[in-house]
Amino acid sequence: MFGKRGHLDIALEGIFRPSFPNHKEVATGYAGLNFAVSTFPVIALAIIGFIYLHLLPRKPRIRQARSSATALSNPLVVNSIVGILSSFEILLVFLFVIFLVWTYYARISNDFKKLMPVKSLKLNTWQLKYLRVATRFGLLAEACLALLLLPILRGLSLFRLLGIQFEASVRYHIWLGTAMIFFATIHGGSTLFVWGMWRWQKTGRIYLAGEIALVTGLVMWITSLPQIRRKKFEFFYYTHHLYIIFLIFFLFHAGDRHFYMVFGGIFLFGLDKLLRFIQSRPEACILSARVFPSKAIELILPKHAGKASSPCKVTFMRNIYTTPKFFVIPIAGLKFTPTSVIFMKIPSISKFQWHSFSITSSSSVDDQTMSLVVKCEGEWTSSLYQMIHAELDSDADQMRCIPVAIEGPYGPATMDFLRYDSLLLVAGGIGITPFLSILQEIASAQSNRKYRFPSKVQLIYVIKSSQEICLLNSISPLLSNQPSKKWHLTLKVFVTQEEQSSVTVREVLNDLSLVRAVRFGTQSNYAVNGLESLIWMAALVGITSILFVIFLISLNHIFVPVEKKLPSEKLAAPSEKVVSKEKTPSWVADLIILSSFIIAITGSTLMAILLRWRRLKKQTPPVSLNQGKAVQVLGPIEEEHEINFGGRPNFEEIFSELEKETAGSDIGVLVCGPESMKESVAKTSQRKSQCFMMNANKDKPYFNFHSLNFTF
């Protein structure tokens, strides 16, 4: 049955693959048409999106009258299993499910109508029907794979068009991956149940490649389960790189025609990966660090300050006798929006592991440095904590340099949180990190008349120990001296695992013995530059796609010449015609796609490296050692800030108080912390918003819920 190629393989090709001649499948016109129809729309959307985001102003949108459309972003379903889902997310999921159901029903009903028994297969009617059912499940897995890589794009992320950040879109990747593995398991397992294919055939679908891809996908999915990912992150991290093997064997199994359906996401992911690699070179150095209680560390990194370049001499040609004039060309520095994240690698700890962290500083406040807070709980962060402590305990006058590689920052395109009349910020533990940058940005926005900022901000901070209040050190000037009467900041701290104490917020923040600072030597002249411009990335995506098509056409002409049929072949029987068309193995087309992709990506990478090198030549050196941040002696803290011990916040009371204090205003509710706290705040916001929609009372505030994903 599985010996030399015979009628069985020919019949299988008739079931699983259209009967196109192999030399025609990889011909120039056919390959180009598949790329234009199946792949290019995703690439075109990315290019148009980058141009749109480039033209989109960073300032917040103008406040508009309330409408029912704002409810789409508010939570509709709050569940411990699926998490917090907005109406917009549920709508997208519903449309995607409808698309899958409609596609499956249309294909399977058409298959059953045209079902014909194949004598060479020796299968019963129920086996043939079951085989068709299993085959069409493979198309559902293919639809999930087409979208699987889009949510985890960073620099080339399409989700920025929807205002969704990378950390929030990861869960869409998890949903799509789980659905893909489910459909693929039914597809592969059912096919093997009917018969087994254990060899690598020359043409048609390579079934052994599909089995290898399925096993690889199952390994990746199992190791990504929360029970394994949280306890053995390194094991999850390394096994997840099997995606390269999975995609290659999927190509050999499905063939070039089906691969174009999923190639758009793979194309952007590969280019995004290489751009991130280039951006992280060369390495920077940590300037200084501050060690807080409860194993938390603040790291200070140098960033491109955007100082002016050297003077340039220009001669005005309208008057050749004028003295040559000098002017200074300013170089734009690194700017990022609040709640942005960076990915950091410390080679002295691990040469391969990258970890994401929320930026706690504001680029509008500090032009030369950026800071982030690390909660040292895992193996990698604990190694960093021990490294910093070793420097603190040493007696050396000059601390050694700690090189770091940085990717990012990645963040929202605009600062829409400034458009609300009031803000309610709810943080749990290390979830305070994105709010530190938001508060500094609000304080900075007061001097800019173009921005409208919230007039009232209330910060709810839930922690286990009172010593964790030290994490508010960077915003202590905002707590001690209200910068202006234009906006008002109120802090309410809830310490859950301590009994009643007389300690105040002022005493904890002014206790400098709780914070230890260390400065490091720097041997790198490189500061964090950030991502390239959006216009530059749009151009690079377009150039790479053009290069891919050019090399695809060229390699097709070189390796797969169009064969001319002999007169005897035209008069041959249908079965004999099929056999005569097997001169070109099907995997040749697959190798041509891989080769064209690798060559196009390599060419674009060399171009990106050249532009990066030219940019680094114009860069000014990072701040010196003496310019790193130091622990400051704080002024008096306002007594209106509260600290409560032994209990959790009652969000019903907090929301009710805001209703009385901010009647008729729009309130932005931002929460960042444990999932249980997010769900509690989401449920309260959901009830308040539903009450507003039912009453339609303009004198009552409307709560706009936003969930932030903290990284540490």
Side-chain angles (χ1 to χ4, degrees), residues 105-124:
Y105 173 77
R107 294 296 183 91
I108 200 66
S109 60
N110 186 59
D111 290 342
F112 284 172
K113 291 178 181 178
K114 299 180 179 180
L115 187 65
M116 296 291 292
V118 182
K119 295 181 179 180
S120 59
L121 291 181
K122 298 180 181 180
L123 297 177
N124 298 326

Side-chain angles (χ1 to χ4, degrees), residues 276-287:
R276 285 154 41 194
F277 177 81
I278 295 172
Q279 187 211 349
S280 62
R281 302 304 191 268
E283 297 172 348
C285 283
I286 299 176
L287 292 178

Side-chain angles (χ1 to χ4, degrees), residues 232-496:
K232 298 290 183 180
F233 179 81
E234 290 77 11
F235 185 57
F236 151 76
Y237 179 81
Y238 292 122
T239 55
H240 227 59
H241 283 75
L242 293 174
Y243 71 86
I244 300 176
I245 297 177
F246 172 82
L247 293 175
I248 291 177
F249 281 98
F250 170 80
L251 169 60
F252 285 117
H253 169 64
D256 59 319
R257 178 172 159 274
H258 283 269
F259 190 73
Y260 281 117
M261 299 295 296
V262 305
F263 187 56
I266 298 173
F267 180 92
L268 293 177
F269 179 79
L271 189 58
D272 181 76
K273 195 84 172 177
L274 287 173
L275 289 178
R276 285 154 41 194
F277 177 81
I278 295 172
Q279 187 211 349
S280 62
R281 302 304 191 268
E283 297 172 348
C285 283
I286 299 176
L287 292 178
S288 62
R290 291 194 287 182
V291 181
F292 297 105
S294 66
K295 297 188 70 174
I297 300 176
E298 182 183 22
L299 302 179
I300 311 300
L301 303 174
K303 75 180 183 71
H304 184 30
K307 291 183 179 179
S309 64
S310 57
C312 299
K313 182 172 69 174
V314 176
T315 302
F316 293 94
M317 300 304 297
R318 282 180 293 181
N319 187 352
I320 60 175
Y321 300 104
T322 56
T323 304
K325 296 185 178 180
F326 294 85
F327 67 94
V328 177
I329 301 178
I331 301 177
L334 174 59
K335 297 294 182 180
F336 49 85
T337 52
T339 71
S340 296
V341 300
I342 62 170
F343 283 77
M344 182 172 67
K345 179 183 71 173
I346 301 181
S348 56
I349 298 178
S350 175
K351 294 184 179 180
F352 302 102
Q353 291 188 36
W354 291 86
H355 294 264
S356 58
F357 301 94
S358 299
I359 300 177
T360 58
S361 58
S362 169
S363 59
S364 301
V365 177
D366 197 335
D367 291 332
Q368 296 182 324
T369 62
M370 62 190 303
S371 61
L372 52 95
V373 175
V374 181
K375 183 72 172 180
C376 304
E377 292 182 339
E379 181 179 347
W380 189 90
T381 52
S382 296
S383 300
L384 174 62
Y385 184 81
Q386 295 172 4
M387 181 185 299
I388 301 295
H389 256 281
E391 298 294 337
L392 282 171
D393 297 336
S394 64
D395 298 330
D397 296 333
Q398 182 74 19
M399 302 300 180
R400 65 185 180 92
C401 171
I402 301 181
V404 294
I406 300 296
E407 291 181 5
Y410 307 108
T414 59
M415 296 181 290
D416 282 348
F417 63 87
L418 293 179
R419 65 187 174 94
Y420 296 112
D421 300 318
S422 302
L423 278 180
L424 174 61
L425 311 178
V426 183
I430 196 62
I432 191 64
T433 50
F435 296 142
L436 299 179
S437 60
I438 287 177
L439 292 173
Q440 294 181 65
E441 189 70 33
I442 293 176
S444 173
Q446 294 180 93
S447 59
N448 194 333
R449 296 181 179 180
K450 296 181 180 179
Y451 287 174
R452 296 188 63 182
F453 46 85
S455 58
K456 181 177 180 58
V457 180
Q458 186 171 118
L459 174 61
I460 308 297
Y461 191 24
V462 185
I463 52 180
K464 297 179 180 179
S465 171
S466 59
Q467 292 182 339
E468 295 184 45
I469 301 178
C470 291
L471 295 180
L472 301 176
N473 187 273
S474 61
I475 62 168
S476 56
L478 306 181
L479 297 171
S480 59
N481 301 312
Q482 293 292 333
S484 172
K485 294 182 180 180
K486 295 181 180 179
W487 76 295
H488 190 74
L489 173 62
T490 305
L491 171 66
K492 292 185 179 180
V493 181
F494 293 84
V495 184
T496 59

